[in-house]
């Protein structure tokens, strides 16, 4: 990596400021605060991990990052510009550089199109190369994700879950975007193919300078591939920092509980029960608890936690947390 | 057999004790494709006893899901035939009448599908979909069905279920949909639950809660669990036995503890060695070199041969799923002479502490 590009790496490719996304509930009487005031930058060329509670707003952030939905409040800048201020045509072109790969591959594949046609489609829309070149590129992409030739002629329903997911990955990669949001993209793959696909992601990052936002529940995966990781709980970030720091010296009680719950492939004789079981009902983003949102389940909650919203602060260099007591020395049991 | 850790004892007990609830024998499934007939799986054999929890792992596309679907006879339209037997409590599900199958499906055998979004009907509320399963199989009124549905949604950890029960699937997060599927599968109290990647969309704390619920149900009501997953940690924490599949065949069947520590098949070992925690951060992740042979060029003999570091004379011959002693079975003629590493690091060393705190 040259000095210039190392410098470049530091400037954000995406800046998120006070992001809020709300939805109406089905009875239309209340709003779901799916994302409620989130701030972060994604640096060029990095892999930014997002982990956290199911339903905490990770996918919603991902969709907002690529403008598949409009924020209810706040701003998202791509390379310092606001894409919503672009003309329609400019916006369409711009968008190609910011892709998302979804949790559910069925949503992304047209059941009536063959696999090859699906992978070709984005190349055709972008009018890249001639027909033969596009087809070569599409077949190469399928090859790289480990699908044999014969799959090109098949239809999505004839593929297993993991095979479909690999098609979707191949499809997003053909466009060589600047940023890809990966929402649970490797969960459906076996360990060995997961290794191959993650290595492929790393190669493309090195060769093309891609930036990834990697949403996953797999802590081992996030620890392995991302430089920084954010932890989400009920619509907000509770912790953000260098992955090594967050994984080894977590500051927020939710992060600590999350890390302790990771299932380990160990035989029964070697397993120690050190899991922190969170008590209390999971609160809802329709009416989140006052003060600290984690207080209804936090083993360290104090009266102050009900009264005051904890400040989002940089407790250590580059390591942010939202907890009143995160600087208490004996806080982390790990 | 008396010694051994508790999980192992239980597994052994379940196996040589009660007669199996499910016995799959010589199961093979064929599909019609534009390139001809495709033999997707063959010679699948395994038993599951009441209350036993069996993990099914294996390479993506090896036939785990279609094996699960075939037990419920939910095979896709281009299904072209099935060989073998699927004995469930004395009934052969492969040949029983459609009516018999309907009475079993959803009630005595339930399935949690791999893709919750496709399994849920987008035009009905989630509450309606769960309550319907219950009403089809029992004589209860709408009010009672709704109350039971709410209770089940609470048990799978949905916050404010009374506000979610009338939501449509697209209004829920990925993990919430998955929990709705789990609630629907448990609502009739099945004897066998086939769970296909039931927790991949869940965070690890909710996952731990769901796995505990499944363990609890299997222990208290003797529900047998067939858990299909790629997460070996989930298998270790939930199951008593682990069945490994490769290219449409069962290649190993052992207690979880044995399989993790000392796998007998080179593919199982390769899978365990691909775990990310065994390699340095940001380094290359290990994977098994090469890829599954395409169906058109499936080799005779061992299907793993082209990728196997231990391939030798005799591997080109048909490999039988053979008895490896202690109730283990493996499809590799060299199993006794190979000493393969498992999920611990480095192989054989006292690495428990290292793995546990990584
Ligand atoms: N279209 C929608 N209409 C109404 N509510 C929605 C919609 N999309 C998401 N939500 C709600 O927003 C919240 C956040 O959902 P999101 O899908 O972002 O969660 P997530 O963190 O990705 O969860 P998971 O890990 O389970 O996928 C949830 O409460 C969800 O029900
Ligand atoms: N309808 C179909 N027509 C033709 N082939 C099919 C059909 N359904 C599945 N297959 C093929 O059968 C094989 C087994 O599929 P299955 O869905 O059981 O895999 P799996 O083990 O569940 O994989 P994954 O872990 O990726 O979900 C795959 O190679 C798949 O491509
Ligand atoms: S602010 Fe209070 S309730 Fe919130 S995480 Fe910190 S200690 Fe727990
Ligand atoms: S039979 Fe031979 S090729 Fe197959 S797994 Fe065993 S050693 Fe490897
Ligand atoms: Mg999501
Ligand atoms: Mg599957």
């Amino acid at each position: 990596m040259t000095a210039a590009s190392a410098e470049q790496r530091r400037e954000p490719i995406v800046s998120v400021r006070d992001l809020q996304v709300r939805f109406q509930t089905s009875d239309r009487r209340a709003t779901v605060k799916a994302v409620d005031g989130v701030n972060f930058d994604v640096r060029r060329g990095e892999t930014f991990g997002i982990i956290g509670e199911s339903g905490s707003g990770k996918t919603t952030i991902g969709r907002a990052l690529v403008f598949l939905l409009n924020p209810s409040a706040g701003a998202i800048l791509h390379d310092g510009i606001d894409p919503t201020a672009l003309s329609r045509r400019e916006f369409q072109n711009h968008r190609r550089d910011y892709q998302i790969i979804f949790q559910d591959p069925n949503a992304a594949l047209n059941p009536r199109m063959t696999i090859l046609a699906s992978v070709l489609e984005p190349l055709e829309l972008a009018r890249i190369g001639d027909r033969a070149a596009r087809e070569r590129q599409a077949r190469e992409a399928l090859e790289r994700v480990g699908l044999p030739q014969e799959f090109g002629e098949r239809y999505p329903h004839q593929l297993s879950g993991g095979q479909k997911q690999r098609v979707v990955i191949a499809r997003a990669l053909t466009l060589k975007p600047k940023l890809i949001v990966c929402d649970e993209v490797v969960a459906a793959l076996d360990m060995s193919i997961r290794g191959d696909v993650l290595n492929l992601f790393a190669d493309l990052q090195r060769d093309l300078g891609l930036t990834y936002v990697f949403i996953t529940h797999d802590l081992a995966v996030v620890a392995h591939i991302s430089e920084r990781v954010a932890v989400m709980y009920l619509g907000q970030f509770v912790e953000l920092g260098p992955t090594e720091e967050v994984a080894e010296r977590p500051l927020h009680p939710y992060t600590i509980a999350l890390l302790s719950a990771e299932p380990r492939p160990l035989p029964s004789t070697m397993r120690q029960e050190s899991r922190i079981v969170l008590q209390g009902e999971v609160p809802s983003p329709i009416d989140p608890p006052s003060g600290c949102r984690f207080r209804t389940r936090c083993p360290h909650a104090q009266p102050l936690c009900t009264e005051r919203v904890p400040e989002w602060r940089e407790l250590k260099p580059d390591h942010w947390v939202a907890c009143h007591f995160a600087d208490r020395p004996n806080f982390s049991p790990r | 057999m008396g010694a051994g850790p508790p999980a192992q004892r239980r597994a052994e007990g379940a196996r040589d004790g009660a007669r199996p609830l499910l016995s799959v024998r010589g199961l093979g499934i064929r599909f019609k494709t534009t390139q001809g007939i495709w033999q997707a799986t063959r010679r699948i054999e395994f038993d599951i006893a009441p209350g036993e929890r069996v993990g099914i792992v294996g390479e993506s596309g090896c036939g785990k899901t279609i094996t699960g679907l075939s037990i419920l006879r939910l095979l896709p339209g281009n299904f072209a035939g099935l060989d073998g037997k699927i004995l469930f409590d004395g009934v052969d599900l492969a040949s029983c009448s459609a009516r018999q199958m309907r009475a079993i499906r959803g009630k005595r055998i339930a399935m949690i599908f791999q893709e919750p979004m496709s399994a849920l009907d987008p035009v009905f509320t989630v509450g309606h979909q769960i309550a319907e399963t219950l009403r089809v199989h029992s004589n209860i009124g709408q009010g009672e069905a709704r109350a039971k549905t709410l209770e089940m949604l609470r048990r799978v950890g949905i916050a404010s279920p009374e506000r979610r029960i009338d939501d449509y699937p697209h209004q829920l997060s990925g993990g919430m949909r998955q929990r709705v599927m789990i609630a629907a599968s448990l609502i009739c109290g099945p004897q066998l639950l086939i769970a296909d990647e039931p927790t991949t969309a869940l965070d690890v704390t909710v996952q731990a809660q769901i796995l505990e619920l499944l363990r609890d149900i299997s222990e208290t009501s003797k529900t047998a669990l067939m858990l299909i997953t790629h997460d070996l940690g989930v298998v270790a924490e939930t199951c008593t036995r682990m069945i490994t599949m490769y290219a449409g065949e069962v290649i190993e069947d052992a207690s979880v503890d044995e399989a993790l520590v000392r796998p007998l098949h080179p593919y199982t070992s390769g899978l365990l060695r691909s775990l990310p925690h065994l390699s340095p951060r940001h380094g290359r992740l290990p994977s098994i070199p090469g890829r599954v042979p395409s169906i058109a060029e499936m080799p005779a003999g061992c299907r793993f041969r082209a990728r196997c570091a231990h391939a030798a004379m005799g591997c080109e011959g048909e490999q039988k799923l053979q008895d490896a002693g202690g109730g283990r079975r493996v499809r590799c003629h060299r199993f006794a002479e190979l000493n393969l590493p498992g999920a611990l690091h480095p192989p054989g060393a006292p690495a428990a502490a290292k793995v546990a705190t990584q």
Side-chain angles (χ1 to χ4, degrees):
Chain A
M1 189 129 307
T2 64
S5 59
E7 188 55 40
Q8 260 188 353
R9 272 171 75 95
R10 244 167 275 141
E11 73 192 55
I13 183 166
V14 176
S15 307
V16 177
R17 292 292 167 264
D18 273 323
L19 179 67
Q20 298 195 14
V21 181
R22 309 207 151 149
F23 299 106
Q24 290 271 298
T25 55
S26 37
D27 57 14
R28 308 206 155 268
R29 284 205 301 256
T31 44
V32 178
K33 296 175 187 134
V35 179
D36 200 16
V38 167
N39 286 288
F40 65 101
D41 286 343
V42 180
R43 298 169 190 162
R44 188 180 310 282
E46 80 169 332
T47 300
F48 184 90
I50 305 181
I51 59 175
E53 209 214 352
S54 167
S56 60
K58 302 180 299 297
T59 299
T60 306
I61 288 191
R63 287 162 52 99
L65 285 182
V66 298
F67 287 91
L68 277 179
L69 57 78
N70 287 322
S72 314
I76 296 175
L77 302 180
H78 285 173
D79 264 329
I81 62 159
D82 177 2
T84 57
L86 296 173
S87 74
R88 222 187 125 82
R89 142 99 47 77
E90 283 169 332
F91 181 68
Q92 288 309 335
N93 279 332
H94 173 85
R95 213 172 183 177
R96 205 174 291 146
D97 288 334
Y98 297 80
Q99 297 280 324
I100 183 165
I101 308 177
F102 282 113
Q103 217 164 344
D104 182 355
N106 292 311
L109 294 176
N110 182 337
R112 289 177 213 294
M113 269 160 77
T114 64
I115 297 308
L116 185 64
S118 275
V119 180
L120 268 170
E121 191 185 32
L123 290 171
E124 276 166 357
L125 289 176
R127 301 212 177 76
I128 294 171
D130 59 12
R131 163 109 216 148
R134 289 197 290 262
E135 185 159 331
R136 192 162 3 94
Q137 220 175 322
R139 288 196 187 276
E140 261 168 35
L142 286 171
E143 177 78 26
R144 287 189 91 163
V145 295
L147 290 175
Q149 281 286 327
E150 67 215 35
F151 280 82
E153 272 48 71
R154 294 227 217 148
Y155 289 89
H157 74 272
Q158 301 178 323
L159 266 57
S160 80
Q163 289 164 345
K164 275 184 280 198
Q165 190 59 276
R166 281 182 273 164
V167 173
V168 179
I169 293 171
R171 186 179 137 113
L173 293 179
T174 55
L175 280 182
K176 308 204 165 66
K178 291 184 188 158
L179 173 119
I180 308 182
V181 177
C182 302
D183 191 0
E184 287 293 352
V185 294
V186 293
L189 308 179
D190 66 76
M191 285 303 154
S192 170
I193 292 173
R194 188 176 304 186
D196 281 339
V197 168
L198 292 175
N199 289 339
L200 170 64
F201 276 124
D203 291 347
L204 291 167
Q205 184 163 56
R206 198 194 47 226
D207 299 348
L208 307 170
L210 286 190
T211 306
Y212 302 113
V213 173
F214 222 91
I215 301 171
T216 179
H217 289 301
D218 192 324
L219 304 176
V221 164
V222 96
H224 192 87
I225 64 158
S226 56
E227 272 100 342
R228 291 190 303 148
V229 63
V231 185
M232 243 191 132
Y233 186 82
L234 213 61
Q236 298 179 334
F237 280 3
V238 294
E239 184 161 358
L240 165 64
T243 306
E244 230 118 304
E245 276 287 304
V246 174
E248 266 143 42
R249 286 167 290 277
L251 293 172
H252 196 280
Y254 177 66
T255 313
I256 295 166
L258 200 62
L259 295 174
S260 82
E262 184 189 10
R264 303 212 159 90
L266 290 175
S268 49
T269 43
M270 290 182 184
R271 225 173 290 132
Q272 312 132 313
E273 265 320 319
S274 58
R275 174 166 301 158
I276 301 164
V277 180
L278 294 175
Q279 304 295 334
E281 197 166 322
V282 183
S284 136
I286 297 168
D287 43 2
S290 67
C292 173
R293 298 194 166 187
F294 187 51
R295 72 171 160 84
T296 54
R297 301 166 77 206
C298 180
H300 307 280
Q302 307 289 320
L304 175 68
C305 306
T306 315
E307 289 152 24
R308 276 232 317 268
V309 177
E311 200 190 327
W312 179 236
R313 55 190 171 137
E314 191 174 10
L315 202 59
K316 296 197 225 162
D318 219 18
H319 194 165
W320 296 71
V321 65
C323 165
H324 293 305
F325 303 108
D327 42 359
R328 272 205 316 217
N330 59 347
F331 205 62
S332 164
R334 274 169 72 87
Chain B
M1 203 105 310
Q8 192 175 329
R9 268 207 309 276
R10 232 181 296 130
E12 299 297 337
R15 230 182 313 170
D16 31 66
R19 82 169 174 163
L21 175 68
L22 179 77
S23 266
V24 174
R25 288 289 169 269
L27 179 64
I29 294 152
R30 277 164 278 135
F31 291 117
K32 276 195 276 301
T33 73
T34 48
Q35 294 125 343
I37 298 288
W38 165 305
Q39 181 85 42
T41 63
R42 58 171 200 171
R43 310 188 296 192
I44 305 276
E45 307 240 349
F46 60 90
D47 287 346
I48 304 183
E52 197 179 19
R53 300 187 296 275
V54 179
I56 314 270
V57 304
E59 157 252 336
S60 164
C62 67
K64 303 178 296 295
T65 297
I66 56 168
T67 300
L69 291 174
S70 65
I71 293 172
L72 284 171
R73 271 205 346 229
L74 289 176
L75 289 160
N78 62 334
F79 163 69
L82 178 152
D83 315 303
K85 284 192 165 61
I86 303 169
L87 297 170
F88 174 73
D89 209 10
V91 180
D92 182 8
L93 302 179
S95 60
C96 73
S97 70
R99 189 148 159 256
Q100 250 177 320
M101 193 70 236
R102 270 199 304 277
I104 291 176
R105 191 188 296 140
K107 183 169 169 61
R108 298 181 61 199
I109 308 180
M111 180 153 179
I112 302 169
F113 295 96
Q114 190 171 5
E115 286 142 1
M117 199 51 193
S118 335
L120 292 170
D121 191 330
V123 303
F124 292 107
T125 65
V126 295
H128 176 88
Q129 298 187 50
I130 301 173
E132 263 314 288
T133 322
L134 192 57
R135 277 160 49 81
V136 165
H137 292 292
S138 57
N139 260 328
I140 66 168
Q142 224 152 39
E144 197 183 336
R146 191 175 167 90
K148 288 204 157 139
T149 301
L150 275 173
E151 172 52 27
M152 211 22 125
L153 286 173
R154 190 167 291 117
R155 280 188 82 181
V156 296
I158 299 277
S160 332
E162 56 297 325
R163 308 188 81 147
R164 292 296 191 176
I165 189 169
D166 297 318
D167 274 358
Y168 290 90
H170 78 270
Q171 292 173 301
L172 303 180
S173 81
M176 289 166 167
R177 286 175 209 149
Q178 202 159 39
R179 280 176 279 170
V180 166
M181 282 290 309
I182 296 171
S185 73
L186 292 174
I187 196 102
C188 291
Q191 287 169 282
L192 172 65
L193 176 63
I194 304 170
D196 195 355
E197 299 283 1
T199 56
T200 39
L202 304 177
D203 70 73
V204 289
T205 66
V206 178
Q207 168 169 283
Q209 183 193 345
I210 295 286
L211 296 178
E212 194 175 316
L213 175 70
L214 294 181
R215 268 197 309 266
D216 190 49
I217 285 171
S218 106
E219 265 155 28
T220 54
S221 33
K222 285 266 161 233
T223 298
L225 179 65
M226 177 173 158
L227 180 73
I228 301 172
T229 180
H230 290 301
D231 190 329
L232 298 161
V234 166
V235 174
E237 298 204 348
T238 317
C239 298
T240 46
R241 236 170 81 215
M242 177 166 122
I243 291 176
T244 312
M245 290 179 63
Y246 183 80
E249 299 179 330
V250 170
I251 52 120
E252 184 159 359
D253 181 346
S255 81
V256 169
D257 286 351
E258 292 169 320
L260 289 177
V261 179
R262 195 177 173 279
L264 292 183
H265 196 285
Y267 174 70
T268 315
S269 174
L271 205 57
L272 295 171
R273 303 305 296 163
S274 305
L275 290 165
H277 72 241
L278 296 180
S279 60
R281 239 168 229 167
H282 307 305
R284 308 280 303 164
L285 282 163
S287 64
I288 304 168
R291 70 177 51 124
V292 196
S294 116
I295 203 71
E297 42 216 57
M298 199 53 90
C302 176
R303 297 189 156 188
F304 188 56
R305 186 156 41 113
R307 306 171 72 186
C308 182
H310 306 280
M313 284 259 294
C315 298
E316 69 290 342
E318 272 301 292
Q319 301 298 315
K320 281 214 200 56
L321 190 58
Q322 53 180 307
D323 208 319
R328 300 184 71 167
R329 292 186 306 159
V330 59
R331 201 184 286 281
C332 167
H333 72 110
R334 297 199 63 197
F335 79 89
E337 45 183 314
L338 303 174
N339 188 10
L340 303 168
L344 305 181
H345 187 249
K354 187 162 189 270
V355 179
T357 55
Q358 74 85 37

